[in-house]
Amino acid sequence: MNFLAHLYLSGNNTQIMMGNFFADHVRGNRFQHFPEAIQQGILLHRKIDTFTDNHEIVRISKRRLHERYGHYDGVIIDIFYDHFLAKNWSSYSQIPLAVFVKNVYQLLQKHFSILPKKTQELLPYMIQYDWLYNYQFEKGIDQVLQGMNRRTKGKSQMHLAIEDLQLLNTELENDFLTFFKDLKNYTSNELATLKKSL
């Protein structure tokens, strides 16, 4: 899953949310210096990723793109799933997306000094271009895909994936809606276990 999903699935614990957000920028077990709840957020992120990678619906989504993008199919699906989460946000949260995103940006800026270096480098761009809010729009997804393609020096051809989003929109959105229900249930159980240990 991509940034918005990890943030949403963190519940209302801001430290778990931070750890869940920047976990990809933490290697191995080099997170012992963080507060316990942030450590739990990092571990939750990894559990979410494992659950996602092994879910049959996600594999179906990836197969829809694999012939064109090879091993980049999973990265693209992560981005597409964030698009469908943002697009259907009111079905999952009573807090408007604009308010949720604003609160996330403020939280991360407030704790900027403890963020991993890569997260510190990424955050200003995320805020400037309002990635999290703009995930709901095809234009926003297109900009993300264009940026990812530049970072792979054109090897991924991810800039073409907006065509696949348009062509396979119904199938991919149905994949997401089915999968995300399972992921929400899984994460709720994991969060309940974490709260007992905090």
Side-chain angles (χ1 to χ4, degrees):
M1 299 305 291
N2 209 42
F3 295 119
L4 184 61
H6 279 291
L7 288 162
Y8 169 78
L9 292 166
S10 299
N12 56 11
N13 185 308
T14 56
Q15 290 199 322
I16 287 179
M17 182 178 286
M18 283 195 293
N20 201 350
F21 172 74
F22 65 65
D24 280 337
H25 296 154
V26 177
R27 292 188 177 184
N29 61 356
R30 298 179 186 175
F31 52 83
Q32 312 297 332
H33 59 290
F34 288 114
E36 185 177 1
I38 289 182
Q39 294 184 42
Q40 299 285 19
I42 293 169
L43 294 173
L44 178 63
H45 178 111
R46 294 175 179 179
K47 289 181 177 182
I48 289 170
D49 281 356
T50 299
F51 181 87
T52 300
D53 289 342
N54 290 297
H55 199 285
E56 181 56 31
I57 295 293
V58 178
R59 290 176 174 171
I60 290 171
S61 289
K62 289 179 181 179
R63 284 199 291 271
R64 299 185 194 281
L65 304 180
H66 185 76
E67 184 175 351
R68 193 175 196 181
Y69 304 103
H71 68 272
Y72 293 105
D73 57 4
V75 179
I76 297 169
I77 291 301
D78 282 349
I79 294 167
F80 285 178
Y81 278 13
D82 254 15
H83 166 64
F84 293 122
L85 174 58
K87 179 182 169 185
N88 295 285
W89 184 262
S90 61
S91 298
Y92 297 108
S93 177
Q94 294 182 336
I95 301 170
L97 180 60
V99 175
F100 178 84
V101 166
K102 181 181 177 181
N103 290 340
V104 166
Y105 292 155
Q106 289 176 342
L107 171 69
L108 296 171
Q109 286 175 310
K110 180 180 177 181
H111 298 280
F112 189 83
S113 62
I114 71 167
L115 301 178
K117 185 182 178 188
K118 285 187 178 181
T119 310
Q120 291 179 340
E121 293 170 351
L122 173 144
L123 186 61
Y125 294 100
M126 173 176 280
I127 294 173
Q128 180 181 352
Y129 296 104
D130 204 0
W131 291 354
L132 299 177
Y133 182 77
N134 285 321
Y135 279 149
Q136 66 187 300
F137 307 115
E138 282 190 7
K139 183 178 179 181
I141 294 300
D142 188 35
Q143 289 175 339
V144 171
L145 293 168
Q146 296 277 355
M148 296 293 287
N149 187 59
R150 285 192 296 272
R151 280 193 282 279
T152 64
K153 298 181 179 178
K155 293 177 183 177
S156 67
Q157 295 292 291
M158 287 172 65
H159 66 295
L160 301 176
I162 194 67
E163 298 171 4
D164 297 274
L165 178 61
Q166 293 163 345
L167 184 65
L168 300 169
N169 193 277
T170 300
E171 295 91 332
L172 289 168
E173 185 165 7
N174 286 338
D175 288 351
F176 166 78
L177 294 172
T178 302
F179 161 69
F180 203 65
K181 182 178 179 180
D182 289 350
L183 180 60
K184 274 188 67 183
N185 290 336
Y186 170 78
T187 308
S188 294
N189 291 333
E190 290 297 323
L191 279 171
T193 302
L194 290 178
K195 286 176 181 177
K196 292 177 183 177
S197 65
L198 290 175

